[in-house]
Amino acid sequence: MICTTHMFLEVFYLTQVALIPVIIQEFHLSLLEASFVATVPSLASLLTYIPSGLLADRLSVNHLLFASMTVEGISVLIVSQTNNFWTLVVALCFTRIASPLYHTSGLSQITRIAKREQLSMAIGLHNALGNLGSAAGVVSLAVFLSILSWRWAYIFWAAPILIWGVIVLMSSQLKSPQSGKAHIESAVGLRSLSRLFCPAFLIFLAVVGVRELGSTAISTFMTTYFVKAVSLSESMASLIFGLGPFVGIVGSLAGGYLGERAGAKKALSWITLASAVSLSILGFVSQLYVLTLVYLVYAFFSYAVWSPMNTMAADVTPLAARGLSYGIYFFAEGLIVSLAPVLAAGVIQLSGIWIVFPFGIAFLVAGVIILQLLRYPK
């Protein structure tokens, strides 16, 4: 049930960036103004990462997953009805707030119930279902853009999300004895947060931040690149972008398998370097079929990265404060996600949309270099 909840949560993960070209036209915005659709909601979600992590160590997981589905379902209904840009931004803020409520509790529960030798594959399956949700969301957006309006994509998903929230709340499967009990060690950790910030965790956070700066810039402006540089239609750009998460389903499982066989650190290094190589090729192709193929190769690796990364987050943090540790990890990641679109947009306006590729590649490679400083168990 946790993985299915993840699927519903991620339905709108990519739709707001896929809509940037449409929003620019509908609300008569500059690229920098339109980037607020990605930046402001990400900043808003930062306010709930650490509080959600604290709650995940204390409350029943089904209560937090219900809260996540409810917040998401109501906010997407508001998104579907508003004609004001800033109301749209505020509603998208609440859509993003649902993510911290889910991820700190859902992943913490998975790390509690999965055996250590099976953790990487368990997280791989969890991520695969999330990618399925992302793919379904972007593809449904492309379909509704072609036949009706982008707003219908949000209306379409609202009811299933709200209904699933009630199912999760009533489920007895999620009411495990470990879920929602505060541990003595966790209380000690809260009195001294420095105990969580061991050298391994600090290096891991640095890797996450640097890598995320590059990957977020790429994902935010990928459809914009397709439309402006390659001259694809908005619906075609969204369709190609939406195929990525489908490949990501396989990529997540492959990342989990590679992490289980080679170790999370090696898997993360190899996958990130492969992402950088595929990006370097993507910037030089324009034929539709070749462009689509190379993008899907990049998508495979970009989604595969999360299984070893989330496994590493569990390995370098204490179990008793796992929710808080995930909250700090996602806070650091979310901070970069919120700032990267504006930073990248500024660089793009100075140089052109093409610059997003060397920008992203540079930070991906830098993340791999920093990762080598981490002493990690094999």
Side-chain angles (χ1 to χ4, degrees):
M1 295 195 74
I2 294 176
C3 293
T4 304
T5 306
H6 191 215
M7 179 186 71
F8 281 117
L9 178 81
E10 299 292 356
V11 164
F12 299 103
Y13 177 67
L14 296 174
T15 56
Q16 62 196 53
V17 295
L19 276 173
I20 285 179
V22 179
I23 290 173
I24 289 175
Q25 181 178 359
E26 181 171 332
F27 293 96
H28 308 291
L29 306 171
S30 69
L31 180 62
L32 185 60
E33 290 172 330
S35 70
F36 292 160
V37 168
T39 302
V40 177
S42 296
L43 283 172
S45 71
L46 289 177
L47 299 176
T48 56
Y49 275 114
I50 293 178
S52 295
L54 294 171
L55 291 174
D57 290 325
R58 284 156 175 75
L59 299 182
S60 177
V61 64
N62 62 319
H63 291 152
L64 290 175
L65 298 191
F66 168 73
S68 175
M69 292 292 94
T70 302
V71 169
E72 183 181 31
I74 293 175
S75 64
V76 299
L77 282 175
I78 297 174
V79 168
S80 70
Q81 300 302 311
T82 184
N83 291 310
N84 179 274
F85 175 68
W86 292 111
T87 304
L88 174 71
V89 171
V90 171
L92 289 173
C93 287
F94 283 96
T95 304
R96 289 300 301 270
I97 286 172
S99 181
L101 290 173
Y102 167 80
H103 278 100
T104 53
S105 56
L107 281 172
S108 296
Q109 184 68 359
I110 289 174
T111 61
R112 293 188 186 109
I113 62 179
K115 296 180 180 179
R116 175 61 190 86
E117 61 273 13
Q118 298 175 338
L119 180 58
S120 185
M121 280 303 301
I123 292 179
L125 178 61
H126 167 268
N127 293 344
L129 267 292
N131 293 334
L132 178 60
S134 297
V138 179
V139 170
S140 65
L141 174 64
V143 171
F144 283 114
L145 271 173
S146 300
I147 61 176
L148 291 170
S149 164
W150 64 268
R151 298 174 185 275
W152 282 96
Y154 285 78
I155 296 172
F156 176 81
W157 287 104
I161 289 171
L162 291 170
I163 292 171
W164 183 254
V166 175
I167 294 173
V168 166
L169 180 64
M170 303 301 293
S171 172
S172 60
Q173 297 180 20
L174 299 177
K175 298 177 182 178
S176 68
Q178 289 176 301
S179 173
K181 287 188 176 181
H183 303 285
I184 295 175
E185 295 88 344
S186 178
V188 174
L190 291 176
R191 289 196 298 267
S192 178
L193 285 177
S194 62
R195 295 184 60 180
L196 288 176
F197 289 94
C198 60
F201 190 42
L202 289 174
I203 294 173
F204 172 74
L205 292 178
V207 172
V208 169
V210 172
R211 194 209 70 87
E212 196 62 34
L213 186 56
S215 64
T216 299
I218 293 294
S219 63
T220 300
F221 295 106
M222 185 63 75
T223 56
T224 305
Y225 173 81
F226 288 159
V227 172
K228 291 194 171 185
V230 191
S231 300
L232 299 182
S233 67
E234 294 166 349
S235 59
M236 178 59 70
S238 294
L239 181 59
I240 295 174
F241 194 61
L243 293 175
F246 281 111
V247 176
I249 297 171
V250 181
S252 293
L253 295 174
Y257 177 79
L258 183 60
E260 188 175 278
R261 306 295 293 182
K265 180 180 175 180
K266 287 183 179 179
L268 181 57
S269 298
W270 295 344
I271 292 169
T272 304
L273 288 175
S275 296
V277 171
S278 59
L279 273 180
S280 66
I281 299 173
L282 185 61
F284 291 98
V285 298
S286 58
Q287 187 177 0
L288 179 60
Y289 297 111
V290 179
L291 180 78
T292 302
L293 177 61
V294 177
Y295 172 71
L296 293 180
V297 171
Y298 165 71
F300 175 88
F301 292 115
S302 65
Y303 284 98
V305 76
W306 293 108
S307 298
M309 186 174 290
N310 290 334
T311 300
M312 288 183 70
D315 286 339
V316 300
T317 57
L319 177 61
R322 184 61 48 77
L324 177 59
S325 301
Y326 269 119
I328 295 170
Y329 155 43
F330 288 128
F331 175 87
E333 178 194 347
L335 180 62
I336 300 301
V337 168
S338 64
L339 297 177
V342 171
L343 177 60
V347 174
I348 289 169
Q349 287 192 334
L350 291 174
S351 305
I353 189 66
W354 64 270
I355 198 67
V356 72
F357 289 105
F359 182 93
I361 291 169
F363 283 101
L364 290 178
V365 174
V368 175
I369 294 172
I370 297 172
L371 179 59
Q372 306 316 305
L373 303 175
L374 177 61
R375 297 180 62 183
Y376 185 78
K378 296 181 179 180

